[in-house]
Amino acid sequence: MDLVIWLDVAVLLSLWQCVESTGAAKEWTYAGATGQSEWPVFFPECGGSSQSPINVDTSKIHYDASLPELRPLGYEQYGHEPFTLSNNGHTVEIPLPSWMGVAGLPWHFSAVQLHLHWGNGVGVATGSEHSIDDQRASAELHVVHYNSELYSNISEAKTQGNGLAVLAVLIEAGEETNQAYTNILNYLGRIRYAGQKVLIPAFNVGTLLPSDLSRYFRYSGSLTTPPCHESVLWTIFIEKVKISHSQLLKLETMLYISRPGSANPKPLQDNYRSTQPLNNRTVLSSFTPVSGNIYTAGEISAMVVGGLCGCVGLAVIVRFIVKTIRSMSSWDVLSSVRPHPQQRTKDTARDMALRTTSDPGTNEEANLQSKP
Ligand SMILES: *[C@@H]1O[C@H](CO)[C@@H](O)[C@H](O)[C@H]1NC(C)=O
């Protein structure tokens, strides 16, 4: 017994030395002994004052008219080389070629990788890292870029101010299958365990983004995973992307944080960081919060047209119901009088009489119509 304890201590000590000597305390998780609250112990920057993610309070954002529409560069030039999709135990990730980039930011940024964050599929939608007015989405895509105008590579850029730019896309569940996300989600079964990789056909990364790249929130923050460097210029698009419920379920249930061969593999779920304090930072918006807040002119006109259609539709339905009730009461009279519809011709006179009796109804309808 003593020996076992002594061995444990020895193992722990040598592990600690290993961590110390390499300077890379690598183990971290989202929950448990190495969970989020412990991150600052091993990664001091995680306890900083400009951390991510944040909640965007739309009543406190500042409109900045100088923020332009973002333009992905080369996202559609994915070439013939396949992409590598991997499960790193924290997320699914695809490294991106550095010829891909994004324009519309204060410097030129080159693509590095993309990855996702998600929840566990139980209860209300959770899983996104950023929230808007305290509403989390079901998942979140991050396309990571580094500032290739100021720095020569990602390792240099990732610790510097404005060294990284991450495009964040909020994802929610809908009815239809999102073909773009199929390019990733169809292959999760091949990388269920941590450390696994698979080659997948390259695809246009731009199709993962929402169609409106002109309306977004901007703030300065950090990596949302250790070592939490405060080097990220964040862009959160206001338009959400929809994937189907079954696609979301795949993301939430297919992967493990455990290595292959693990007897009791643990699911890779809830890999999103809790909301960090905004402190003295300002969140900018590229769109004016005054005129129509989060709706475009197109959406507003759609709503107006929709509303009108709704009113007209309601009027038609009311009219139909009134008519039906009236004709049903006529039938009641008719059925007692004549058992078979064939006899109709014989009863033309009575029909005509009935019609004339129902005539005042038409006048009432006319009155109804003139009311509004
Ligand atoms: C990144 O750039 C720095 C500075 O130019 C250089 O010292 C370092 O070796 C580079 N790292 C990689 C991984 O290329």
Side-chain angles (χ1 to χ4, degrees), residues 2 21 28 35 58 70 72-73 107 112 122 139 157 164 177 181 187 192 206 224 237 268 270 313 348 367:
D2 281 352
S21 59
W28 58 268
T58 57
L70 295 194
L73 301 171
W107 297 271
V112 180
V122 177
L164 303 177
T177 301
Y181 280 79
Y187 300 94
R192 298 197 73 175
T224 62
F237 296 111
L268 172 41
D270 293 322
T348 320
N367 289 343

Side-chain angles (χ1 to χ4, degrees), residues 151-157:
Y151 308 108
S152 50
N153 55 47
I154 171 77
S155 21
E156 196 193 342

